[in-house]
Amino acid sequence: MKDETKEFIKMIGKKISQIRKKKGISQIEISRLTKISRSQISRIERGSIPSYSIIHLFKIAKVLDVEVSELVNPHRIFSKTIRFSPPEITINTESGEEEINIKIKLEK
């Protein structure tokens, strides 16, 4: 994984942690409400998990009562400008459940 991607994942986790603590919500409470294990919440916040579902971000954002863009907006996270390739969005409804996948590629 490229350094920029690692930094981006760590900054998202840091933002989640900051908002969670500011709102007085525990990792256990987020885990209970999102059905994401507490250990995985912890790894997301530390940036030690190489990738996770965008659905996880939607669930966490909902519990924190923020927009997902507040968690992933590079202008709120980085002091430098970061360029993105257009996002690749796929929606799969074949399984009977909606599954949304979003891939964002960072450019140099």
Side-chain angles (χ1 to χ4, degrees):
M1 186 182 316
K2 293 184 178 183
D3 288 340
E4 294 91 359
T5 304
K6 287 179 186 177
E7 183 180 352
F8 187 64
I9 288 171
K10 284 183 179 182
M11 289 299 181
I12 291 171
K14 184 177 179 181
K15 187 71 172 178
I16 290 169
S17 178
Q18 288 172 342
I19 294 169
R20 178 183 62 74
K21 289 174 182 175
K22 183 177 180 181
K23 294 190 177 223
I25 302 171
S26 70
Q27 288 181 344
I28 293 170
E29 185 69 3
I30 288 181
S31 174
R32 185 181 68 76
L33 294 170
T34 61
K35 304 211 183 327
I36 301 169
S37 73
R38 197 219 46 89
S39 64
Q40 191 165 6
I41 297 290
S42 176
R43 290 194 319 262
I44 289 170
E45 287 188 359
R46 290 191 321 267
S48 65
I49 187 166
S51 65
Y52 42 86
S53 165
I54 191 72
I55 300 301
H56 285 132
L57 288 181
F58 279 106
K59 289 178 177 182
I60 292 168
K62 185 175 180 178
V63 170
L64 296 175
D65 194 31
V66 297
E67 297 291 325
V68 172
S69 62
E70 189 170 337
L71 302 178
V72 299
N73 186 338
H75 299 291
R76 293 180 186 228
I77 297 173
F78 296 102
S79 58
K80 62 182 180 180
T81 301
I82 294 185
R83 292 188 178 100
F84 291 92
S85 293
E88 178 184 320
I89 302 172
T90 57
I91 301 174
N92 180 4
T93 57
E94 293 175 5
S95 66
E97 294 183 18
E98 286 190 9
E99 177 181 302
I100 302 170
N101 295 302
I102 301 173
K103 290 183 182 179
I104 300 173
K105 182 178 177 185
L106 300 176
E107 297 178 348
K108 287 188 178 185

